[in-house]
Amino acid sequence: MEFRATEISALDWSGDAVGIGLFEDAVELTGPMAQLDEKLAGSVSDLIADAEFKGKEGSSAVTRTPKGSSIRKVILVGLGKPESLKLETLRRAAATMAKLAKKEKSKSLALSLPVFQDSADQTAAAIVEGVELSLYQDNRFKSESEDKGSRLESVDLLGLAGSEAAISRARNVCAGVFLARQLVAAPANACTPITMAETAQAIAAEHGLELEILEKEDCEKLGMGAFLGVALASDLPPKFIHLTYKPEGEPRRKLGIIGKGLTFDSGGLNIKGAGSGVEMMKVDMGGAGATLGAAKAIGLLKPDVEVHFISAVTENMISGKAMHPGDILTASNGKTIEVNNTDAEGRLTLADALVFADKLGLDAMVDLATLTGACVIALGDDYSGLWSPDEKLAGELKSAAEVAGEKVWQMPLEEKYFEGMKSVVADMKNTGPRPGGSISAAMFLKQFVDKTTWAHLDIAGPVWSDKESGYNPPGATGYGVRTLVNWVMS
Ligand code: BES
Ligand code: MN
Ligand code: ZN
């Protein structure tokens, strides 16, 4: 698929389909749109009347034009009220147009959408994201591709000439989102600690990042008892991934991104039962998926910031070698943990990953983790939870997420919630009481951060969606990649 930014307007464009965004209660055609309507023998105004199209956000209507017209199909998409226009509105409108054009078997599509806050570049990027992310298809595990027949070949961004660089940047970001989606969607018999390490290797080779893989023995030497405790029962070797992107010249900042990397979470001996959603626990490396997706995007975008991408990857399995409920593990900072629940394993792997990252002299670090069902109970499927002792970093992440159209909601990080994790025999337990379970999980992580400004995102809700939503097809969303890239680039 080719994206082109062009000066021309819908009036002068010719091709298969044109998508036109219209604001609410402003569907009377004037100026160039009225001229276009005339040129197309009134098909646009007829469509507005016939479909009772009012421009409500999310609404759409399609018609074909009379034979011999320069444009074969017209797609109208409602944008809602002009004062509430957001980048996300444009992303979703572009997605609707792309999906309808594809359904209509169009090969060429032109998009006519308003410019957001005088920024042609931001507008072009949002449109590219909407089109690319919504048309994404993953046929790796199907015997036959479901995507037969015609494909959209070209997308023209009308009135956005000069935004070529923004378009190519947006495509690079989408490549990172696609990688994250593929990693998350791949089942645990296809995505393992070994393949995750191979993916990191491929990113390093393709985009010139440095790669360090710590094998089990290396992790033992570093005293990563919490991570290795989780890895005990797996027949697959654990892999501790550390990818580094270094810019040419002095970096403006040094940042860390740490992802929970459980390629499968059975719960361990506190095994997940029927009805627990255990068959979905391939998504438990969603944090690591977003981390590697961001690494790919950053490798392509080459910002002036040094970024460390870290994940302690393993499975949480059961066998005679499994850690027992009640076992006491020692993390690499010397703190001891009574494992009162083997299903609270993500925080154990993150503990050693955070201790490792904390020693790198970073200006800030953020971890992403499908950490708790409690976060999904609190916030539902759309929002990730955000915790940070540092309001400035929390603010940076909130605005990065806002621009990305990825929803985050800040949650309290309060000492009192750690009280429930006091242990009689060790420094702490790994599980507190059920109420506020996502908060005590964040408080647990905090015990392994010493000197680095840190934030935690619990992405258990938004990592996956069974239903299509906006520009996310059903399945893995690639949540987090665009927020992370915005954060690094800001
Ligand atoms: N991987 C799960 C959390 C999860 C839930 C991810 C739903 C994606 C969707 C995590 O390891 C887990 O099992 N958490 C437990 C913690 C509990 C034992 C304290 C939970 O949330 O029930
Ligand atoms: Mn678990
Ligand atoms: Zn888990």
Side-chain angles (χ1 to χ4, degrees):
M1 195 165 44
E2 190 190 356
F3 285 93
R4 295 181 297 227
T6 162
E7 197 115 37
I8 64 170
S9 72
L11 188 58
D12 301 315
W13 189 79
S14 65
D16 291 335
V18 65
I20 300 169
L22 292 176
F23 285 116
E24 193 168 332
D25 301 327
V27 293
E28 256 110 278
L29 302 172
T30 55
M33 280 304 157
Q35 282 174 274
L36 176 67
D37 186 39
E38 209 179 300
K39 192 178 170 191
L40 299 176
S43 16
V44 186
S45 49
D46 282 354
L47 176 61
I48 291 173
D50 294 349
E52 295 179 25
F53 183 81
K54 300 277 188 301
K56 286 225 175 338
E57 194 171 345
S59 65
S60 61
V62 187
T63 191
R64 64 152 308 152
T65 57
K67 256 198 178 61
S69 304
S70 51
I71 295 169
R72 295 163 66 96
K73 295 206 169 119
V74 174
I75 302 168
L76 299 181
V77 172
L79 300 174
K81 299 257 193 295
E83 60 273 19
S84 58
L85 182 74
K86 294 192 183 105
L87 279 176
E88 184 67 359
T89 318
L90 296 175
R91 229 177 253 123
R92 285 170 177 259
T96 304
M97 291 171 180
K99 284 186 285 187
L100 287 171
K102 189 171 174 233
K103 196 166 145 229
E104 298 287 329
K105 314 279 180 219
S106 305
K107 288 199 167 70
S108 58
L109 168 68
L111 278 68
S112 172
L113 284 162
V115 173
F116 175 76
Q117 289 182 357
D118 289 328
S119 172
D121 282 357
Q122 279 196 307
T123 303
I127 292 173
V128 169
E129 287 178 7
V131 172
E132 286 239 70
L133 297 177
S134 64
L135 295 185
Y136 168 87
Q137 272 217 342
D138 183 359
N139 288 308
R140 288 173 302 162
F141 304 105
K142 307 241 187 202
S143 58
E144 261 180 85
S145 166
E146 289 183 347
D147 192 20
K148 287 194 213 104
S150 67
R151 274 165 191 277
L152 202 51
E153 284 166 8
S154 67
V155 178
D156 289 340
L157 281 60
L158 303 179
L160 291 171
S163 291
E164 287 75 11
I167 289 175
S168 97
R169 282 197 300 273
R171 301 199 76 173
N172 289 338
V173 175
C174 290
V177 178
F178 292 166
L179 175 60
R181 284 181 180 178
Q182 286 178 352
L183 291 170
V184 171
N189 62 344
C191 177
T192 68
I194 297 170
T195 69
M196 288 291 281
E198 286 167 356
T199 301
Q201 175 64 56
I203 295 169
E206 276 167 46
H207 310 296
L209 278 72
E210 288 173 20
L211 176 65
E212 181 187 26
I213 303 272
L214 304 181
E215 304 294 341
K216 185 174 139 208
E217 299 69 35
D218 305 312
C219 297
E220 277 165 358
K221 278 182 202 132
L222 291 171
M224 294 184 174
F227 171 42
L228 294 175
V230 175
L232 278 177
S234 174
D235 285 340
L236 302 171
K239 300 278 178 182
F240 189 102
I241 298 172
H242 177 203
L243 262 172
T244 309
Y245 165 77
K246 284 187 178 156
E248 274 175 39
E250 225 7 67
R252 182 164 56 80
R253 297 220 277 176
K254 291 189 186 182
L255 302 175
I257 295 171
I258 299 120
K260 172 175 170 181
L262 267 291
T263 57
F264 188 72
D265 178 13
S266 72
L269 283 170
N270 292 101
I271 193 163
K272 289 181 186 290
S276 64
V278 66
E279 71 283 358
M280 280 311 298
M281 280 306 132
K282 65 175 184 179
V283 307
D284 216 15
M285 35 57 68
T291 300
L292 293 183
K296 183 176 181 74
I298 294 297
L300 286 161
L301 294 166
K302 308 214 178 301
D304 57 353
V305 177
E306 181 172 309
V307 193
H308 295 258
F309 305 91
I310 292 163
S311 184
V313 189
T314 186
E315 299 180 307
N316 186 22
M317 298 297 282
I318 49 172
S319 83
K321 287 190 232 135
M323 61 176 170
H324 318 85
D327 278 1
I328 296 173
L329 305 175
T330 305
S332 43
N333 64 348
K335 292 198 181 172
T336 60
I337 306 156
E338 178 188 4
V339 182
N340 60 332
N341 192 324
T342 60
D343 198 9
E345 84 300 333
R347 60 195 77 178
L348 296 172
T349 64
L350 284 166
D352 283 324
L354 288 168
V355 170
F356 181 92
D358 193 52
K359 291 178 183 150
L360 297 172
L362 305 171
D363 297 309
M365 62 184 180
V366 52
D367 78 73
L368 287 86
T370 49
L371 201 64
T372 66
C375 193
V376 189
I377 299 298
L379 297 176
D381 282 336
D382 288 353
Y383 281 85
S384 68
L386 164 67
W387 286 261
S388 182
D390 188 273
E391 280 306 316
K392 184 167 164 283
L393 177 57
E396 283 174 19
L397 289 165
K398 280 190 272 189
S399 48
E402 166 69 29
V403 174
E406 295 185 316
K407 294 176 184 175
V408 305
W409 195 257
Q410 193 172 356
M411 302 278 279
L413 190 65
E414 216 182 284
E415 286 305 324
K416 184 156 179 292
Y417 286 77
F418 193 60
E419 278 170 19
M421 310 193 78
K422 296 250 156 78
S423 164
V424 176
V425 286
D427 294 343
M428 68 195 91
K429 296 195 270 194
N430 73 332
T431 311
R434 265 162 63 85
S438 66
I439 306 174
S440 51
M443 280 305 301
F444 178 92
L445 298 181
K446 188 170 177 282
Q447 311 309 309
F448 302 90
V449 179
D450 179 24
K451 49 182 188 280
T452 312
T453 307
W454 156 80
H456 159 60
L457 285 169
D458 192 331
I459 64 167
V463 69
W464 182 272
S465 172
D466 284 329
K467 290 195 291 280
E468 176 186 67
S469 165
Y471 44 84
N472 285 324
T477 56
Y479 182 94
V481 173
R482 290 177 305 115
T483 294
L484 289 171
V485 170
N486 289 345
W487 176 58
V488 169
M489 308 292 284
S490 69

